[in-house]
Amino acid sequence: MSRGGSILLDRFHHPAQVVVMGFGFAIAVGTLLLRLPLATTTGESAHWLTALFTATSAVCVTGLAVVDTSTHWSVFGEAMIALLMQVGGLGVMTLGTVFTLLVSKRLGVRARMLAQMETKTLSLADIRRIVARVVMFSLACEAVAATVLTVRFLTGYGEPFGRAAYYGVFHAVSAFNNGGFALWDDSLMRFVSDPWICLTIAVTVVVGGLGFPVVFELMRSWRRPGRWSILTRITVATTAGLLLSGTVVFLVTEWSNPGTFGPLDTAGKWLAAFFTAVMPRSGGFNVVDISQMYPSSWLVTDLLMFIGGGSAGTAGGIKVTTFGLFAFIVWAELRGEPRVNIGHRSLPEAAQRQVVAIMALGTGIVAVATYVLLVITPYTLDKVLFEVISAFATVGVSTGITTGLGSPEQVVLVVLMFIGRLGPLTLGSALALKERSRRYQLPEERVIVG
């Protein structure tokens, strides 16, 4: 590793601190690139806050935008957004590990710790092989999605090959990394009845959001569910349950809404409902006008966004694993069980504390940000809450108020996207100078709860 990298690692001893610095550096570089006159269609430098907001949204794979991506940014600017989404999706530290492998052909212990921090692997032994598989799997999924989309744009919409390939690659990268950026001003609304576009995007979003450990385990043992780890079992079961329930709820709620599902035929309504249920995982695309949805659908979307996708995936939110484990913790407490058991395994107390901490921190951050935006904006609670959760969970869908926000409100969303991508616990541990452990234990005292 270079002397500069060694100095950085010596200064920030906790791996989480380097992850935070890495993402911050990527956002800074992205802001500078998007500030170049070459990045806009007018040839003039974008406002620094517009560039910062867009770079943060891309690196944090959110998709919220204060300007129209298709008209404000040039081809160079759009390419930079796609590159930033790729960097954010794979993780700055994962890419840094790959570059280290290419240059030095070796990894030190600290570099392995950094790669483990980003990929959420449970062992340091095979980190080199894991990182290589992560990169290859990501590129392979994007290549498949890009091929399908390119062929569809070419044959179904008469686009010339160059433009069809450009659309295909951009949206494949955006979908797999759960970026949510689209090259049309209505996102994907013009394709609401096209299963080739909608299902390709939706499946790519789900695969990217499952998380690499889960995907690799499914690839190895998909025929033997009995051998799945707790992580895989909870992720698959919770994901399937949320997708099914979300599809049914959106279908029932929006069936007759003239602004969303109303004009569609039955098959189109089912397709739109499934797509709409997938996107709160952190996908960020939309095939119907979100601003025309009923407030009850906004509330369901809020819940799905807050939960998010799988651990170590490209999705945001508190993660389906956290939500699933929290349900087991609550169930064990209601039953008076001294331990939290999942199948034939017991959940460690440290993991239980982490689950509760993530839930509490996530709820607190959303509550504080919602209060701040309610004070400084004229928008109602339902719209502000939707926007805040979309930013914190790095989803990117919007009721339409983001483009009307002023500078202070945009800064709030930038901070939310940054915190949401890294995770409350990761950011908190990065701010701590060192871990502290007590060498004594105080006597217990029962406290009345509730």
Side-chain angles (χ1 to χ4, degrees):
M1 185 175 291
S2 67
R3 179 176 177 80
S6 299
I7 294 175
L8 179 63
L9 293 178
D10 290 338
R11 173 63 183 86
F12 299 100
H13 297 288
H14 199 292
Q17 293 176 313
V18 186
V19 173
V20 173
M21 292 298 295
F23 272 90
F25 178 75
I27 291 172
V29 172
T31 301
L32 294 177
L33 290 173
L34 293 178
R35 281 273 293 162
L36 296 174
L38 182 63
T40 64
T41 55
T42 61
E44 300 178 357
S45 296
H47 189 273
W48 71 268
L49 186 54
T50 300
L52 173 63
F53 191 99
T54 305
T56 304
S57 185
V59 172
C60 297
V61 287
T62 304
L64 286 176
V66 291
V67 294
D68 180 32
T69 304
S70 61
T71 58
H72 183 84
W73 302 109
S74 65
V75 173
F76 174 81
E78 293 169 355
M80 291 302 100
I81 291 173
L83 178 62
L84 292 174
M85 287 190 292
Q86 187 74 79
V87 170
L90 290 176
V92 172
M93 293 303 106
T94 301
L95 291 178
T97 303
V98 174
F99 295 150
T100 302
L101 283 172
L102 294 176
V103 173
S104 64
K105 304 297 184 182
R106 60 190 297 270
L107 277 174
V109 175
R110 181 62 61 84
R112 292 189 180 200
M113 290 178 64
L114 295 177
Q116 180 197 31
M117 187 73 186
E118 181 58 34
T119 60
K120 303 294 191 302
T121 50
L122 302 179
S123 172
L124 297 176
D126 299 320
I127 197 64
R128 182 181 302 187
R129 178 174 55 85
I130 291 295
V131 171
R133 291 179 65 187
V134 166
V135 175
M136 293 303 296
F137 177 77
S138 301
L139 296 179
C141 289
E142 291 173 356
V144 172
T147 300
V148 175
L149 293 175
T150 298
V151 172
R152 183 56 181 167
F153 290 134
L154 187 67
T155 60
Y157 297 92
E159 297 286 355
F161 177 77
R163 182 173 293 275
Y166 177 68
Y167 284 159
V169 171
F170 183 94
H171 292 93
V173 171
S174 185
F176 182 80
N177 294 291
N178 283 212
F181 281 91
L183 297 181
W184 297 278
D185 56 4
D186 61 355
S187 189
L188 301 179
M189 289 174 59
R190 64 188 65 193
F191 307 113
V192 63
S193 298
D194 190 331
W196 286 98
I197 302 294
C198 292
L199 292 180
T200 300
I201 294 290
V203 170
T204 307
V205 166
V206 171
V207 172
L210 277 177
F212 299 122
V214 172
V215 170
F216 291 161
E217 186 169 356
L218 290 176
M219 292 172 64
R220 292 193 307 267
S221 308
W222 67 274
R223 292 183 177 180
R224 299 185 293 274
R227 297 186 180 181
W228 291 355
S229 64
I230 292 178
L231 172 65
T232 299
R233 292 181 184 182
I234 291 181
T235 300
V236 172
T238 307
T239 297
L242 292 176
L243 289 179
L244 178 60
S245 59
T247 300
V248 173
V249 169
F250 286 129
L251 187 68
V252 172
T253 306
E254 298 291 327
W255 183 276
S256 302
N257 187 342
T260 56
F261 293 1
L264 304 175
D265 58 20
T266 300
K269 291 177 180 179
W270 276 99
L271 180 61
F274 174 72
F275 190 92
T276 305
V278 169
M279 290 307 115
R281 292 179 52 81
S282 194
F285 299 100
N286 60 281
V287 292
V288 295
D289 190 349
I290 301 296
S291 66
Q292 297 299 313
M293 295 175 69
Y294 293 129
S296 55
S297 295
W298 287 349
L299 178 60
V300 173
T301 306
D302 288 340
L303 296 174
L304 293 176
M305 289 192 297
F306 187 74
I307 296 172
S311 299
T314 55
I318 61 170
K319 309 299 184 183
V320 294
T321 313
T322 304
F323 177 75
L325 292 177
F326 184 74
F328 276 103
I329 293 173
V330 172
W331 180 244
E333 190 64 28
L334 292 176
R335 298 182 61 185
E337 297 284 348
R339 302 283 296 179
V340 178
N341 299 320
I342 305 175
H344 299 290
R345 296 291 186 271
S346 179
L347 186 65
E349 292 185 1
Q352 297 178 41
R353 291 195 300 269
Q354 186 178 19
V355 167
V356 173
I358 291 176
M359 292 286 291
L361 284 173
T363 303
I365 292 170
V366 168
V368 171
T370 300
Y371 172 79
V372 171
L373 289 185
L374 282 174
V375 170
I376 62 178
T377 67
Y379 301 111
T380 56
L381 173 60
D382 50 3
K383 291 185 176 181
V384 169
L385 180 62
F386 190 100
E387 222 73 10
V388 166
I389 296 179
S390 182
F392 172 74
T394 66
V395 179
V397 290
S398 173
T399 59
I401 69 174
T402 299
T403 55
L405 297 179
S407 297
E409 300 93 293
Q410 292 182 28
V411 172
V412 171
L413 293 186
V414 166
V415 174
L416 278 174
M417 289 187 289
F418 188 74
I419 294 175
R421 177 61 181 94
L422 298 177
L425 287 183
T426 301
L427 185 61
S429 62
L431 295 176
L433 295 177
K434 62 180 179 180
E435 295 181 353
R436 296 176 175 86
S437 60
R438 292 185 177 180
R439 299 183 180 181
Y440 60 89
Q441 183 175 349
L442 298 174
E444 294 182 352
E445 179 179 348
R446 281 287 185 179
V447 179
I448 299 176
V449 179

